[in-house]
Amino acid sequence: MTPLPGEKSLPNVLPNTTATQVPLRRLQRTMDARHLIMIALGGVIGSGLFLSSGYTISQAGPLGAIIAYLIGAFVVYLVMACLGELAIAYPVSGAFHIYASRSIGPATGFTTAWLYWLCWVVALGSEFTASGILMQRWFPGVPVWLWCLIFAAVLFLLNAISARVFGEAEFWFSLVKVVAIVALIVLGGAAIFGFTPLSAEHPPAILFSNFETPGGLFPNGFSGVIVTALAVFYAFSGSELIGVAAGETKDPAKNIPKALRSTVLRLVVLFVGAIAVIAAILPYEDASVTSSPFVDVFQYVGVPYAPDIMNFVIITALLSAGNSGLFSCARMLFSLAEEGHAPKAFTRLTKRGVPLIALSVSILIGLVSLLTSVIAAGTVYLVLVSIAGFAVVAVWMSIVASQFFHRRKFVREGGDVSALAYRTPLYPALPIVAFSLLLLSIIAIAFDPNQVAALYFGIPFVAACYLFFWWRHGRKGRRDIVQDHEAEPVDA
């Protein structure tokens, strides 16, 4: 694998075969570890934490919600541990399907790519719509569709200028969300022990009295914790965006492992800390009826203008997730085209290394998804949302399976494990445990009427992708196609 000018050669590539080598393209390596961390946090921290965390507490109970998020964080750690080794071995943009293509098979890579692309395209429409609705708090006379177009244009421009501009914008978007969560943890944590300097009422210390509900520590039984844990897996989706950005990261052997470790640690502190504070302050029976638990906690501790502050933070969270999603969609199309599985035009880059055609198509399809949510919510949009929800766990399963087969192939072809810049620990137990937990969550969806539609539409979509690939390329596909062309720059 030939490094870019001025870039260190990566020590952990597989032996030099057409089946395992991926040439680096002209996407520019301009992002640092801090950008990767905030991109991952930007993809993970969305409206779910700010708006739906009260519902999570009502389903699992205060203590159960914390346990569910700890389980989710553990699974994220397992996936990230597998992702680290792969992202350094294949530091290319939109890399999930590259991992699967080289380690499992081209058909699996093809399916993984289209699942992940569809996941984020559908998300784009919902992020724009929700942002427009929230803006009506301040501008009730401006229609929602106009805000959707404005936000779509802003995110398109941030992505179209350069990868570094995108990364910088995502850094500041994510920073707003992180500051809000840290403020909740610090101020709410102090309020739990009776310290509320901003409040005029100065409520007494409540400690953890709200953890004991009329139904005990687990008011809906431990099954409520398990069902909530399934939803928490989806809540942590976006952490894998580090792999998508690997092809545009400086010194990936150094920055990717650093970003992975920092991301997992921050997610545990931010998510579990926020849930613990909310569960301690909000009475269990009130948790599910609040519009935003963050607003209630901030009002409890005496923060002025709490509703307006949180409206701004939630809009920022939505735009941040949309920004990361659009970046991911464009890179996935670019990478698919390089493999010969999407139109070659998607490989064309601007002078600053941005896949502008892939970016343009992604934003347009995102807006089409938004349109279907209005005119075909019970049919087309339901199918899209169901497949997108299924895609999150399916892609994680692809990542951990890819690492398992990648390491096995690496050793078989003479690789020295001790020379790897980053090694997935406890191999092969770790990827096996991760895959088993993820598979269990897929099976458990069948018993949850609120999520079973993900299986009804997700499994047929996966089967259709495999069948199409085999019909178009044969069972073995064309593993060497990435050697046959280079990305072409276009003027911008």
Side-chain angles (χ1 to χ4, degrees):
M1 187 179 292
T2 305
L4 295 180
E7 182 182 20
K8 296 179 181 178
S9 179
L10 298 176
N12 63 325
V13 294
L14 294 179
N16 200 9
T17 68
T18 57
T20 60
Q21 295 302 288
V22 183
L24 297 178
R25 303 302 184 188
R26 298 174 191 169
L27 290 167
Q28 296 180 6
R29 296 188 179 277
T30 56
M31 290 191 283
D32 300 312
R34 71 181 181 93
H35 294 121
L36 288 182
I37 294 168
M38 286 306 194
I39 287 169
L41 293 180
V44 176
I45 304 172
S47 58
L49 178 62
F50 294 116
L51 294 175
S52 304
S53 46
Y55 175 79
T56 302
I57 294 170
S58 72
Q59 293 298 299
L63 180 60
I66 295 173
I67 293 174
Y69 272 92
L70 284 172
I71 294 172
F74 175 67
V75 173
V76 168
Y77 163 72
L78 298 180
V79 175
M80 293 297 100
C82 294
L83 178 63
E85 187 171 317
L86 293 168
I88 297 173
Y90 306 113
V92 293
S93 192
F96 299 139
H97 77 103
I98 298 292
Y99 308 157
S101 293
R102 300 303 180 274
S103 303
I104 304 174
T108 302
F110 175 82
T111 303
T112 298
W114 284 113
L115 273 171
Y116 199 68
W117 181 80
L118 182 63
C119 173
W120 277 111
V121 160
V122 173
L124 284 176
S126 61
E127 310 289 3
F128 294 148
T129 303
S131 299
I133 292 172
L134 290 172
M135 286 298 292
Q136 291 201 309
R137 174 182 176 87
W138 299 316
F139 304 98
V142 180
V144 172
W145 66 265
L146 183 58
W147 286 117
C148 292
L149 292 180
I150 292 172
F151 291 142
V154 169
L155 297 189
F156 178 81
L157 289 174
L158 291 175
N159 277 267
I161 296 172
S162 71
R164 186 169 184 85
V165 169
F166 155 78
E168 201 66 37
E170 192 56 35
F171 177 85
W172 293 106
F173 274 149
S174 298
L175 187 62
V176 170
K177 299 186 291 187
V178 171
V179 168
I181 297 173
V182 170
L184 176 108
I185 294 172
V186 173
L187 295 176
I192 292 172
F193 297 97
F195 185 68
T196 54
L198 298 178
S199 174
E201 299 176 0
H202 298 294
I206 54 175
L207 301 178
F208 298 99
S209 57
N210 284 327
F211 275 60
E212 183 60 43
T213 73
L217 291 177
F218 303 103
N220 294 319
F222 204 75
S223 61
V225 178
I226 295 174
V227 172
T228 304
L230 301 178
V232 168
F233 284 5
Y234 298 115
F236 279 111
S237 64
S239 52
E240 71 287 334
L241 281 167
I242 290 174
V244 176
E248 291 158 277
T249 303
K250 296 177 184 176
D251 195 359
K254 172 186 175 183
N255 285 323
I256 290 175
K258 179 180 178 181
L260 289 170
R261 288 190 295 268
S262 298
T263 298
V264 172
L265 179 61
R266 283 167 170 77
L267 286 175
V268 171
V269 172
L270 295 177
F271 272 75
V272 177
I275 289 293
V277 168
I278 292 169
I281 291 179
L282 293 187
Y284 162 74
E285 54 273 14
D286 296 338
S288 63
V289 299
T290 177
S291 59
S292 171
F294 274 67
V295 172
D296 287 353
V297 171
F298 280 145
Q299 288 180 327
Y300 180 86
V301 301
V303 175
Y305 307 108
D308 286 313
I309 291 173
M310 283 313 304
N311 201 55
F312 170 75
V313 170
I314 295 169
I315 290 172
T316 303
L318 292 166
L319 294 180
S320 172
N323 195 37
S324 293
L326 183 57
F327 175 87
S328 177
C329 286
R331 271 57 185 180
M332 199 59 72
L333 280 186
F334 169 84
S335 191
L336 271 166
E338 286 206 306
E339 293 280 274
H341 301 151
K344 189 177 180 180
F346 293 154
T347 65
R348 302 186 71 193
L349 303 173
T350 67
K351 292 178 180 179
R352 294 187 177 183
V354 175
L356 190 60
I357 297 175
L359 182 69
S360 302
V361 169
S362 296
I363 192 73
L364 288 175
I365 301 300
L367 291 173
V368 170
S369 168
L370 186 156
L371 188 63
T372 64
S373 70
V374 177
I375 63 175
T379 53
V380 178
Y381 189 66
L382 174 62
V383 173
L384 293 176
V385 170
S386 298
I387 295 173
F390 175 85
V392 173
V393 174
V395 169
W396 283 7
M397 292 174 71
S398 170
I399 290 172
V400 298
S402 296
Q403 190 280 328
F404 177 86
F405 291 110
H406 160 79
R407 175 75 73 85
R408 191 172 69 170
K409 190 172 191 176
F410 178 70
V411 173
R412 188 173 64 241
E413 297 191 15
D416 180 8
V417 175
S418 64
L420 296 177
Y422 178 85
R423 296 187 298 276
T424 299
L426 302 176
Y427 178 89
L430 189 146
I432 291 174
V433 170
F435 190 88
S436 300
L437 289 173
L438 293 168
L439 179 61
L440 180 63
S441 75
I442 289 288
I443 295 172
I445 288 174
F447 300 95
D448 183 359
N450 295 321
Q451 302 185 72
V452 71
L455 296 182
Y456 292 155
F457 300 115
I459 292 176
F461 180 81
V462 168
C465 286
Y466 272 97
L467 291 173
F468 176 82
F469 182 89
W470 291 333
W471 169 76
R472 181 72 174 80
H473 301 290
R475 290 296 295 267
K476 293 184 178 180
R478 293 181 291 170
R479 287 177 179 266
D480 59 344
I481 195 167
V482 294
Q483 305 288 344
D484 296 337
H485 60 275
E486 290 290 332
E488 302 172 7
V490 296
D491 293 332

